[in-house]
Amino acid sequence: MNAFPSERRRSKLPIVIALLAIIIAAIGGGAYYLWPRFDSEPPRITVLPDAEVLGVAPLEINVTDGGTGLRTVTVTLTQGGTVHSLATEQFATPARAKSMTVALAKVPGVKEGPAVLRVTARDAALFKGNETVVEKNLALDSTPPTLELIADDRYVNFGGVGAIVYRASTDTATSGVKIGNYFFPGFAGQVK
């Protein structure tokens, strides 16, 4: 009878080893599958042009995530206590990059003056995911500069010289005269 119990112990040893191998393989496979989902790097957001005053030119917003991919992207503009939703994107399958073009001048209810642009991006990492928020204080100016023609000499003789005297509004960055492909910059001065 002493041989019988030792035989029973030997027969259990291969089963225990097989169960341990299955458990280790399951843990390793689960770690291999879930490890990329523990992404710790948040998404990256760039807003172009990088200016404090915006006119009628559209904004280009680029969002990228090299880890698990993007889950949501939201763009809002707050002005005078009113929040305008400019874009909202939710991805069923995570995306590596998203580019958006937003024309602020075409958004209903947006006026000239100060505003806050807010871009929020969240990736598909486990639990809540990593979130990046970019807030940018802007001044919206959609009114073009004014130009007043003071003196022009409409008749220039062949080989002669011409001059144009004009007054540009104070918010003008650059001014001048363009003829064909040539641009002649204007110069500040006083003409009586």
Side-chain angles (χ1 to χ4, degrees), residues 38 69 121 139 150:
F38 285 107
I150 295 175

Side-chain angles (χ1 to χ4, degrees), residues 132-182:
T132 300
V133 177
V134 171
E135 281 193 357
K136 192 171 184 178
N137 292 322
L138 304 171
L140 301 178
D141 181 13
S142 60
T143 304
T146 59
L147 188 65
E148 177 186 356
L149 188 60
I150 295 175
D152 67 333
D153 206 1
R154 295 184 186 188
Y155 304 103
V156 177
N157 293 331
F158 185 73
V161 176
I164 297 175
V165 180
Y166 62 92
R167 179 179 300 128
S169 59
T170 57
D171 62 344
T172 304
T174 59
S175 69
V177 176
K178 184 174 181 181
I179 300 174
N181 293 330
Y182 298 102

Side-chain angles (χ1 to χ4, degrees), residues 106-131:
K106 294 182 179 178
V107 177
V110 174
K111 302 171 188 159
E112 289 190 353
V116 177
L117 178 73
R118 181 181 172 102
V119 182
T120 306
R122 184 178 298 275
D123 67 10
L126 279 180
F127 308 114
K128 286 184 161 184
N130 301 310
E131 183 179 72

